[in-house]
Amino acid sequence: MWLLDVFKRSEKRKPRDEALERLESIVSRRKEITHKIPVEVFSKNSEEIKKEVVEIVSRKFNVPVERVKVDCQEEDGYVVIVTNINFK
Amino acid sequence: MAKVYVVTSGKGGVGKTTISANLGCALAKDGNKVCVIDADVGLKNLDVVLGLENRIIYTLIDVIRGNVSAKEALVRHKNLKNLYLIAASQIATKEMVSPEDMINLVKELDEDFDYIIIDSPAGIERGFRNAIAPSEYAIVVTTPELPAISDADRVIGLLENNGFNEENIMLILNKYKPQMVKKGDMLSEADVEKALAIKLIGVLPDSNEVIISTNKGIPIVLEKDEGISKNFENIVKRLKGEEISLAEDIDNNENFFRKFLSFFNKR
């Protein structure tokens, strides 16, 4: 059988197909758009933001929402997110 | 009120300056009053592509320093009387210009023009931020190569973060080689459009004629009425909302011999 394999034409991938595969991987790493939130808006909606962060973390680490504790604080114009996850 | 476009890209060498010059000429040929601004402070090329390098007296930096008004710095094109240029300075640096300076410059010209086209430097640093500051619309230029597309993707993200609406960001695919695409050796226009997920408003095939016209200082749009010039006319029509198939851009540039051969290949 190996003799036949020698004559079998190796199937070459087209450069376009390879480029497409790599391009897909490049754009899939695209960072999601981040929005700048003014301090006043942040302080008014901090509870909603905390809830949203808890849901994201719970989905990401596959733990129930009850086991995720999040605290958001504004410091020097930045938001510090403190997350505590109980995996047990 | 002028429509203000920035022509930008992440990677250098994709053809931003040639596209800015030809787009400006095509819009002016179409009867619009156009100003092209070279925001590539420190390098300056737009004047060379337009063949106006010997006519520059004042530059963008003179306007920003308050030596002259923006209108005094305008250089009128030799053949197109409704096309004007504000040249960049070669001795200045990008840090000498701020986004606010660019906003004020455009404000001064806004009432007098139908279109203002800002040629942005490559990259995402200060020069890019200066160029996008006064613009409402962005034309992202890429070639069908992965590094250029990857950088274009990054630029699109930054434009969106800087408040550009998704529908105001458009794409031009430059240096496209139809024969390579047919053979499966190059990404097609549809592949690039799908990956970047913004509206493709023009495909410009790789062309030796563009190099020749740049060397002569006469944008190709002013030299010929066929081939790649038609593509620029199509881009102008698409900017004005006309629906023209992108296939027309590719077909325009198939030369007679290739068309002749493909006719027999189909039989």
Side-chain angles (χ1 to χ4, degrees):
Chain A
M1 286 306 281
W2 63 270
L3 200 64
L4 287 174
D5 286 348
V6 172
F7 294 104
K8 208 165 118 186
R9 275 180 71 186
S10 61
E11 287 213 356
K12 266 192 179 170
R13 290 186 72 201
K14 295 259 185 197
R16 181 191 166 207
D17 299 328
E18 246 166 73
L20 261 178
E21 201 175 284
R22 295 180 63 204
L23 183 59
E24 207 168 283
S25 138
I26 290 167
V27 293
S28 68
R29 276 181 259 138
R30 188 183 306 179
K31 281 184 188 158
E32 280 180 32
I33 300 162
T34 48
H35 297 281
K36 285 179 188 163
I37 310 170
V39 180
E40 313 83 62
V41 179
F42 172 73
S43 349
K44 270 187 199 167
N45 302 289
S46 63
E47 282 312 308
E48 277 175 45
I49 293 168
K50 271 187 208 169
K51 206 177 150 194
E52 187 76 20
V53 173
V54 166
E55 277 169 17
I56 291 168
V57 171
S58 134
R59 270 201 307 272
K60 185 96 185 164
F61 294 99
N62 200 20
V63 286
V65 281
E66 303 79 45
R67 291 200 192 166
V68 182
K69 296 269 180 290
V70 161
D71 191 28
C72 301
Q73 299 154 10
E74 187 264 325
E75 271 176 33
D76 302 329
Y78 292 92
V79 175
V80 179
I81 302 173
V82 184
T83 313
N84 194 345
I85 312 165
N86 183 2
F87 287 103
K88 282 185 182 174
Chain B
M1 284 283 276
K3 282 191 164 183
V4 186
Y5 286 83
V6 60
V7 177
T8 186
S9 74
K11 192 179 170 294
V14 296
K16 285 182 299 299
T17 305
T18 312
I19 288 172
S20 300
N22 279 287
L23 195 57
C25 289
L27 281 162
K29 259 176 88 177
D30 196 42
N32 304 286
K33 198 173 174 194
V34 185
C35 177
V36 283
I37 301 174
D38 192 348
D40 200 351
V41 177
L43 288 173
K44 84 163 188 73
N45 274 326
L46 196 52
D47 53 341
V48 180
V49 177
L50 287 165
L52 299 175
E53 69 274 14
N54 293 330
R55 296 189 170 203
I56 312 300
I57 300 168
Y58 301 114
T59 67
L60 186 74
I61 291 294
D62 291 307
V63 182
I64 286 162
R65 282 180 180 161
N67 300 339
V68 288
S69 71
K71 283 170 197 165
E72 283 171 307
L74 289 170
V75 181
R76 198 178 203 172
H77 193 266
K78 291 177 275 189
N79 307 324
L80 279 169
K81 298 298 173 204
N82 48 346
L83 178 70
Y84 294 80
L85 164 76
I86 289 195
S89 164
Q90 215 163 10
I91 51 161
T93 62
K94 290 172 179 81
E95 282 64 37
M96 289 161 83
V97 184
S98 72
E100 290 71 34
D101 290 331
M102 291 299 289
I103 292 169
N104 292 335
L105 173 86
V106 167
K107 258 187 203 161
E108 218 183 310
L109 300 168
D110 201 35
E111 292 295 325
D112 293 308
F113 290 94
D114 300 311
Y115 289 91
I116 294 174
I117 294 168
I118 302 169
D119 183 23
S120 155
I124 50 174
E125 303 304 324
R126 179 67 170 264
F128 168 77
R129 281 185 278 138
N130 289 341
I132 65 167
S135 313
E136 190 187 351
Y137 303 91
I139 295 175
V140 178
V141 181
T142 185
T143 58
E145 292 144 358
L146 289 182
I149 303 169
S150 170
D151 289 355
D153 184 52
R154 171 94 173 104
V155 160
I156 293 163
L158 286 174
L159 288 167
E160 285 173 347
N161 277 353
N162 278 278
F164 278 77
N165 285 334
E166 205 179 300
E167 61 270 24
N168 288 357
I169 308 173
M170 291 148 270
L171 180 71
I172 290 182
L173 182 60
N174 196 17
K175 299 184 184 179
Y176 183 86
K177 296 183 178 178
Q179 293 307 312
M180 280 187 81
V181 175
K182 272 181 199 165
K183 278 192 208 163
D185 289 338
M186 184 180 257
L187 291 167
S188 72
E189 75 285 3
D191 297 333
V192 181
E193 189 180 24
K194 192 181 164 204
L196 295 178
I198 55 169
K199 198 183 177 198
L200 183 59
I201 58 152
V203 180
L204 300 165
D206 202 18
S207 153
N208 292 341
E209 287 175 9
V210 172
I211 300 170
I212 297 165
S213 72
T214 303
N215 289 341
K216 286 196 272 187
I218 306 167
I220 194 148
V221 165
L222 301 183
E223 277 212 300
K224 292 187 172 178
D225 281 326
E226 56 188 28
I228 214 156
S229 297
K230 275 263 176 235
N231 293 27
F232 279 104
E233 281 173 26
N234 284 346
I235 291 170
V236 166
K237 285 177 186 166
R238 289 184 193 115
L239 288 179
K240 292 185 172 182
E242 275 186 53
E243 291 285 334
I244 297 163
S245 157
L246 285 163
E248 229 179 78
D249 288 10
I250 297 157
D251 290 345
N252 272 341
N253 292 273
E254 288 269 339
N255 66 29
F256 174 77
F257 185 65
R258 266 194 210 134
K259 277 183 185 169
F260 183 75
L261 280 179
S262 67
F263 175 78
F264 284 102
N265 283 340
K266 280 177 198 163
R267 308 257 119 187

